[in-house]
Structures are given as structure tokens and as C-alpha cells.
Amino acid sequence: MDLEGLYQEIILDHYKHPRGKGELTSPLAEVHHVNPTCGDEITVQIATDPAGHLLVGYQGLGCSISQASASVMSELVNGNSIEVAETARAAFVDMMHAQGSGEPNEEILGDGIAFAGVAKYPARVKCALLPWMALRDAQIQANLAESEEG
Amino acid sequence: MPNLPALDVAAVRTQFPILERSVRGRPLVYLDSGATSQKPLCVLDAERGYYLHSNAAVHRGAHALAEEATEAYESARVTIASFVGARAQDLVFTTNATAALNLAAYAFSNATALAARGHRVDPRFVIGEGDSIVVTEMEHHANLVPWQQVCEKTGATLRWIGLSDDGRLDLRNLDSIIDQTTKVVSLSHQSNILGTINPVAQIMEAAHSVNAIGVVDACQSIPHMPVDVHDLGADLIAWSGHKMLGPTGIGFLWGSTEILNAMTPFQTGGSMIETVTLERSTFAAPPQRFEAGTQMVAQAIGTAAAVRYLESVGMVEIAAHEHALTAHALAGISQLPGVRVIGPTDTHMRGSAISFVVDGLHPHDVGQVMDAQGVAVRVGHHCAWPTCRRFSVPATTRISPYLYNTLDDIDAGLAAIAAAQEFFQVVN
Ligand SMILES: Cc1ncc(COP(=O)(O)O)c(C=O)c1O
């Protein structure tokens, strides 16, 4: 196995220097998700700014993949419209279910494309998706997304 | 390098062809026997032989195959029972240790529910508000969650024996934890996460001094050391076949004759009854009372073959072999900067399961790099989440060698830990 395929430099960089980590002052919703097989934990908070753009805060404890994914999520979602955030989330989830095939869209996913290699490791897909699942749950609780879809 | 005692590992390894395979382009180093052991050829042959020649449902049917299958199944019971110094009629087959522990726990909640409706049950199994159930802070979820559920259903209080910083039971306040309110004391003989071997007989004595029923989870001890059920002093003992070279799909509950007779059934249905009318049923004597439905015949036969194999190698020899591997691993880990053992750091009263954490690295990442070196380990909370919390770690990485592992396997494990540190540049 080539470990470098899994642990891209970008992932390690986000792991060591997480972007946007921290708490929001007045969140509309806060959710706590765990990955019960390995104990990774994440708390995601969500709010909107006056323009209706999303604000996310997070705190987490876990492996490099889950924590780097949270950092990338914050980069892709924070300060963006609900539509842009949803496009990024859907693209990230699709990429994680693609088992390494398909061409991830860098324009939508930014640093998130570094996770394409993770999709080949079924045990790690859950780690990468953990923050995004929490984000979706937080959006639903804050009435910023419909619960039927996704 | 220390010499290994009288166990011919090379000969043992020939019986486990899976150990010859490679993973990720490297020779497999299997250090995850605490999760499940590999199976020797004799176990596969026993199962195959049964399906090839004698397959039938047991304890029903009047044909020759049914008789052969029943005979093989019951003789497996004799073999497995005598492996732990027990009589066959005191050994219940279950699907795994989890089912065995649930069987024990449901004896309490079922008896309590029946008593509330005026049915006659053994009062030792009737439990309620003001009563307590005692476990420890190192239990596998299988020996914790079922007891939590009994408390939820009956109003009893769950108590636990805490741990010292070196991963041993803190017995200082034992008589305030196990007291007159205590109806059950249930603990593991050997911890699957810390490796600690507990002074079970002492705790069972404390349980019996207040007339509580004593339960032992022997999942991690019976595969690894000589165990005589009578030495543990317990009323009920649970373990699994798949961790002792046997197949998956079978577990065991040993009980003293008197206790098994006093217990209400867990699962009900076919095979466990005495008489059935449309209105009500009466139940068979143990062990059949606890063996509802079509049974795990091949698995019982496979485990009997595993037991004969373990006996041929010798449980004393296996324990000594693992002791040497454990000493070597503990010494090696102590030489790795930034790596800390969670659990006892010496071999006194300790088995071969060794959990550790690596500074700056999450166990999942450690395990991933070790896997890339061909080394199979377990990462996570090992179904002992409260134990992780006790040591303020989210998870650990665990090596758990067995009779077929060599000192070279341990060295490969140690090198793989160092490789993880190097890959993530957490040491210099
Ligand atoms: C100490 C201990 N108890 C209980 C269990 C549960 O065993 P099983 O999963 O076979 O039911 C295990 C293993 O997973 C264990 O290590």
C-alpha cells in the first residue's frame, strides 16, 4: 500500500494546522457526533451571518483523517451560501463513495480533493465523513436543510 | 534476546496456513488475537468432516445422521467442559460470550418480572430498587451494557470497582462497593484492553460473603492460560470459542449445577422445553433449558478440535510462551520514546494484550501505518470505552499475540510503531 496516497501532504497539513477550529458565539444549533468504532468525536456548531451565509465552528478529537476533513469542511463552508455549501457537501460525499474512481472537481472541493485516496480505505471513509455528517445534522436542526434529502 | 520456553512455534505455525499469506505486499504479522484468533487446520478439518459425513439437526430426529450429530455435539460438550475442569451438564452452548453474559443478565430481569406477577422464582435473582450490581471500570461492553440494562429495567444501582493508574483494580474500598445490597458481582478474569489479570477468587469470595451471585468474563483468560472453573470461585463463567482457535458462532456459559437449575430461561422456543400446551410450557433441565433452537453443531465440534489442539501444545506452555512475548514487547515499548503503555507495565498478573498510545498520533493513524507494514493490530476503544475514559485517552492501539507468534513478530510490531512515528514526524 502506498501510505502517501492515503495521507496526502494536504491532509497532514490540515491535521497539523486545522483551519477555522473553534466555537461560535451564538450558534443556531450544535451537534456532537462520534464514530463508535474508533471513538473519533466532533462537535459542529452552525449559524448564519446577516447575509444568510453559513458560519460553522467545530471542536474535535480524532485521527488525522477525521480532523483534517473537519478543517477542509470549515474552509469550504464557512462564509458561503447554503447552496455553495450543499454543493461541496454533496461532492465530498460522492467522492468518498466513489472508491477512488471518478474525477473530483477541484473547483468545488478545493483541498478536499486530497481525500480522493481515502475512499479506497473503507475503514477510513467513516472518519472522513464524520464532520460532514455532523454538519448536515446541524443544518437540519437549525432548519437550514430539509431532512428528507441526502 | 530471551529464549522462548518449550513451545515449538515453527511447528505450531505450520498448522495455521493463513500466517503464510502476505498483506499489502508484506508478510502478515498477526497481532490481533485478542479480537479473534486464527484457526488451525484440525479445526477446519473437524468442521468439514462433520458436514461431509454427519450433518443433521441434534436432539431431534430418529435417523442415523441425527444420532451421529447428537453424539458428536454432546461429546464436544464433554471435551470443552473437561478443558476447564467442568462437568458436561454444567456447560451451556451459546452463540458467543456476549450471548452468554446476556443469558446471565436476563436471568435477573426475567426472574424479577416473573416475581412481580406472582410466579415462583429463586429470590436470589429478584432484584430491584435498593439493590446493587457491581462491575469494574475495565469491563468489555459485553459485561457492562447487559448489567446497565438490568438496572434500567429493575431500578437496581450499578456500581463499579475503579482502577489504579497502572491498570489494576483498586480494591481499597471493596467492602463498601460489595455490600449487603449487592446481588451480582461480574468482572473479567483478564482485561481485553489493559491485559490485567484480576484476583477473581478474592472478589468472588467478597460476593459470596454477601450472598451475591458471582459472574466471570473469561474471554481473555481461558484461551491463554490453564483455567479450572472451580479455582475462580464463580457461579457463572462466560467465554467465546473464536478467541481460542475455534470457529465463530459459539460461546459458553459454565454454571454451578445449583445456579443453573435456579435460573429462568433466556431465549425460549424449540429444544428447550419439557412440555408445551397452548396455554403454557415447562422447561428442560440445564443445559438444554438455555439452548433454544437449532444448535451450532459444527462450531461445537470445531471448538472441541481446538481444545484438543491446545491441550496437545499445552496450556502451561502457551501461557509461558505468551509471558515471554509479553516481556519482550513491554521491554521494547519502554525503549520507544513517546510511546506509553495503558495498563500494567510489568508481567506480574498480566496477559499478552498490550495497549499503548503514541504521543502526537491518533491510534487509527498508528494502526494504518502498522497495517502498511503487514502488522495487524486493533485500534479504537476495544469495546471498553469507560476504560479509555479512565485513562483520558480517546482510544488505544493494541497488540495481542498468541501461541503462534514469535519474538520476530513482536519486533516487527515495534518497528512498525517506530515507522508510524517517523511517517508522521512525531519523534526526532
Ligand atoms: C473480555 C471480553 N469480553 C467479552 C467479549 C465479547 O466476546 P464476543 O464478541 O465473542 O461475544 C470479548 C471479545 O470481544 C472480550 O475480549
Side-chain angles (χ1 to χ4, degrees):
Chain A
M1 175 188 84
D2 98 287
L3 274 181
E4 284 75 17
L6 173 65
Y7 294 115
Q8 302 269 329
E9 277 302 324
I10 301 176
I11 293 181
L12 295 180
D13 185 55
H14 275 272
Y15 176 46
K16 289 186 175 156
H17 311 285
R19 330 281 203 264
K21 192 167 179 170
E23 291 187 6
L24 300 181
T25 35
S26 39
L28 294 171
E30 172 177 314
V31 300
H32 180 70
H33 276 211
V34 299
N35 179 346
T37 51
C38 62
D40 285 351
E41 300 188 37
I42 188 127
T43 302
V44 170
Q45 297 175 322
I46 200 151
T48 48
D49 67 11
H53 292 165
L54 287 177
L55 300 172
V56 281
Y58 70 94
Q59 296 287 343
L61 196 65
C63 69
S64 58
I65 304 292
S66 68
Q67 301 308 301
S69 176
S71 170
V72 166
M73 174 189 80
S74 143
E75 233 175 33
L76 292 174
V77 172
N78 219 352
N80 278 326
S81 69
I82 292 177
E83 293 70 31
V84 167
E86 178 52 26
T87 307
R89 193 191 66 82
F92 193 90
V93 171
D94 283 350
M95 176 177 69
M96 294 320 296
H97 291 146
Q99 290 165 353
S101 70
E103 205 42 55
N105 184 333
E106 186 166 3
E107 251 168 68
I108 296 172
L109 285 169
D111 282 358
I113 59 164
F115 287 80
V118 177
K120 284 185 230 151
Y121 297 87
R124 304 310 291 271
V125 168
K126 271 194 205 158
C127 307
L129 287 177
L130 181 70
W132 294 90
M133 296 297 173
L135 171 71
R136 167 133 196 95
D137 195 15
Q139 277 184 271
I140 290 167
Q141 289 198 19
N143 288 320
L144 297 171
E146 303 281 330
S147 59
E148 296 83 33
E149 56 179 60
Chain B
M1 200 178 273
N3 283 327
L4 284 179
L7 185 150
D8 185 349
V9 201
V12 167
R13 290 177 70 88
T14 62
Q15 300 306 303
F16 295 84
I18 198 170
L19 299 176
E20 296 302 312
R21 68 162 282 185
S22 58
V23 291
R24 321 263 188 222
R26 303 280 196 117
L28 169 67
V29 176
Y30 189 75
L31 292 176
D32 196 20
S33 297
T36 199
S37 68
Q38 298 302 342
K39 322 300 174 198
L41 288 169
C42 60
V43 169
L44 312 188
D45 291 344
E47 283 203 79
R48 184 177 157 85
Y50 164 72
Y51 281 125
L52 277 175
H53 304 296
S54 315
N55 178 46
V58 296
H59 290 304
R60 6 177 130 167
H63 53 82
L65 291 189
E67 277 169 19
E68 275 181 43
T70 304
E71 157 64 22
Y73 179 69
E74 289 304 331
S75 98
R77 196 191 304 273
V78 174
T79 304
I80 298 162
S82 66
F83 179 62
V84 292
R87 302 186 315 160
Q89 61 263 45
D90 298 333
L91 184 73
V92 178
F93 288 149
T94 66
T95 48
N96 52 30
T98 304
L101 289 162
N102 274 279
L103 197 171
Y106 271 84
F108 290 86
S109 45
N110 284 346
T112 303
L114 289 166
R117 305 265 309 143
H119 292 276
R120 272 185 42 204
V121 291
D122 191 302
R124 288 172 299 176
F125 290 91
V126 179
I127 189 165
E129 275 172 35
D131 291 330
S132 66
I133 294 177
V134 174
V135 294
T136 82
E137 211 174 357
M138 65 167 83
E139 294 315 310
H140 188 284
H141 296 166
N143 193 34
L144 172 63
V145 183
W147 300 116
Q148 290 174 340
Q149 288 293 301
V150 175
C151 290
E152 298 262 335
K153 285 183 261 187
T154 64
T157 304
L158 190 74
R159 295 179 179 172
W160 50 87
I161 303 171
L163 306 181
S164 64
D165 288 341
D166 63 345
R168 309 238 178 230
L169 293 180
D170 179 356
L171 299 176
R172 280 173 305 178
N173 300 317
L174 191 62
D175 43 357
S176 64
I177 302 170
I178 298 176
D179 65 12
Q180 292 301 331
T181 68
T182 306
K183 297 286 249 182
V184 193
V185 177
S186 189
L187 84 161
S188 54
H189 189 192
Q190 179 178 314
S191 161
N192 68 306
I193 177 165
L194 303 171
T196 317
I197 297 173
N198 290 319
V200 165
Q202 180 193 345
I203 292 161
M204 289 297 114
E205 204 177 297
H208 288 151
S209 74
V210 296
N211 296 318
I213 288 174
V215 184
V216 169
D217 172 355
C219 272
Q220 298 289 344
S221 57
I222 287 175
H224 299 283
M225 62 174 99
V227 173
D228 184 309
V229 289
H230 302 288
D231 294 341
L232 300 186
D235 299 298
L236 296 166
I237 302 177
W239 75 102
S240 273
H242 68 95
K243 294 179 199 284
M244 54 184 285
L245 313 184
T248 51
I250 191 162
F252 310 96
L253 184 71
W254 172 85
S256 70
T257 313
E258 187 268 321
I259 287 289
L260 288 179
N261 278 328
M263 280 165 59
T264 52
F266 170 38
Q267 291 180 322
T268 55
S271 297
M272 52 76 68
I273 51 85
E274 185 185 48
T275 60
V276 176
T277 64
L278 274 179
E279 292 79 17
R280 65 184 55 86
S281 306
T282 60
F283 306 121
Q288 271 72 37
R289 182 187 302 169
F290 306 107
E291 296 179 356
T294 303
Q295 291 297 296
M296 307 70 67
V297 189
Q299 290 90 329
I301 291 168
T303 308
V307 159
R308 283 190 291 273
Y309 181 74
L310 288 169
E311 283 173 335
S312 75
V313 178
M315 290 311 293
V316 171
E317 287 74 12
I318 290 170
H321 177 76
E322 288 188 36
H323 195 82
L325 296 175
T326 305
H328 188 66
L330 288 171
I333 291 174
S334 74
Q335 298 299 310
L336 293 173
V339 183
R340 180 164 56 97
V341 169
I342 304 293
T345 50
D346 58 45
T347 54
H348 172 68
M349 290 286 279
R350 187 194 210 299
S352 61
I354 303 176
S355 272
F356 57 88
V357 290
V358 182
D359 287 347
L361 281 187
H362 190 274
H364 221 155
D365 294 318
V366 176
Q368 192 84 53
V369 179
M370 293 181 80
D371 178 60
Q373 316 280 321
V375 181
V377 296
R378 173 121 186 234
V379 300
H381 50 58
H382 313 283
C383 302
W385 215 331
T387 317
C388 288
R389 288 210 185 84
R390 162 62 182 80
F391 290 96
S392 306
V393 294
T396 73
T397 308
R398 180 189 71 185
I399 61 168
S400 54
Y402 203 4
L403 75 164
Y404 36 64
N405 288 115
T406 62
L407 291 172
D408 286 345
D409 289 346
I410 301 296
D411 287 336
L414 295 167
I417 301 168
Q421 291 179 304
E422 195 180 324
F423 183 81
F424 286 97
Q425 297 171 356
V426 289
V427 283
N428 31 36

